[in-house]
Amino acid sequence: MEYWIIVDNRHAGPYSAEQLLDAGLTADTLVWHEGLTAWVRAGEVGELAAGLERQHMTDSERQAESFAEERDDVATAEAYKSDNRQADACVAEETQCVEPCPPAYIAWSVIVTVLCCTIIGIPAIIFSSMTKSAYYKGDIAKARRYSETAQWFIIASIVLGVIGVPFQMALMGLL
Amino acid sequence: MLRCPLKWATGLSCPGCGSQRALAALAEGDLAGAVRVNYILPAVGLYLALLGAGWVFGDNGAMGRLYRRLTSGSAVMAVGVAIIIWMVVRNLAGL
């Protein structure tokens, strides 16, 4: 399974369980994988918790070095070690330091789909959904773009709906 | 009552067709009649009410967990799929 983690207030990933464990993952680091609805502590994820249990006695410094070899980048290991501490601080503050999700306009897109314009509302729902998925995967830039796209579909739907009303009235008068 | 432009143009019922009749029935206190003209409106209404409640009462506790679940990418996609399925079914079955 692929995991995303929060380090230094940023999302990073995807990593395999082996990569994370080799890099000295702590039980308090926040992780996410496909299917989860929120970030959870690594100690609460079955596969990672089992791995942490196994390497309970290993030296985290050495683990960080092996992470560097794997990534071919010594600086990464140094950054990762400090990131780990940051992530732990994050947990202490109830994850408030994580960047909030851009607005997904879920309620809006459902309302316009049902009430105004199905054809334009459905893409709005799809982009709302993709905003959330991208955010949980840690791709904030993509989430922002999807959020904006959803917004435009909603605006277009409402505008068409409002413009349509006089036309409908005229048509009903004629028909 | 205003006619749905999709219905007028294609003869197909959109997922929301019946909303005005449902409101009219509700105004007369006819709950069963309101549900009968559009079966997905109560479900969508409940979903939106829960979203609203989560938005008002914040991210804490059981309410927060429910809110995060309802706003996850897959849940939103499921709502969209349900609406499309409803549109197909109602046009095939004449609901």
Side-chain angles (χ1 to χ4, degrees), chain A residues 37-38 106-107 110-111 113-116 118-119 122 125-126 128-130 132-133 136 165 168-169 171-172 175, chain B residues 1-3 5-6 8 14-16 19 41 44 47-48 51 68-69 71-73 76-77 79-80 83-84 87:
Chain A
T37 55
I106 297 164
V110 171
I111 290 172
T113 303
V114 172
L115 291 186
C116 297
T118 314
I119 296 156
I122 289 294
I125 289 186
I126 291 170
S128 289
S129 160
M130 278 159 53
K132 282 288 179 181
S133 297
Y136 281 129
V165 168
Q168 289 172 56
M169 287 173 142
L171 282 167
M172 284 166 68
L175 291 169
Chain B
M1 279 192 195
L2 292 173
R3 246 173 118 183
L6 189 77
W8 173 79
C14 74
S19 303
L41 280 185
V44 168
Y47 180 70
L48 292 175
L51 283 193
R68 279 195 292 277
R69 195 148 294 173
T71 56
S72 70
V76 176
M77 201 62 98
V79 171
I83 291 174
I84 294 174
M87 183 176 171

Side-chain angles (χ1 to χ4, degrees), chain A residues 63-82:
Chain A
Q63 295 292 325
E65 276 165 23
S66 77
F67 179 82
E69 282 161 19
E70 197 177 314
R71 299 243 117 202
D72 232 8
D73 183 2
V74 179
T76 313
E78 288 302 316
Y80 190 83
K81 270 189 280 179
S82 66

Side-chain angles (χ1 to χ4, degrees), chain A residues 14-36:
Chain A
Y15 299 114
S16 69
E18 290 75 30
Q19 278 178 313
L20 287 177
L21 291 166
D22 285 349
L25 180 81
T26 71
D28 285 332
T29 305
L30 290 179
V31 301
W32 179 85
H33 61 75
E34 193 78 54
L36 284 181

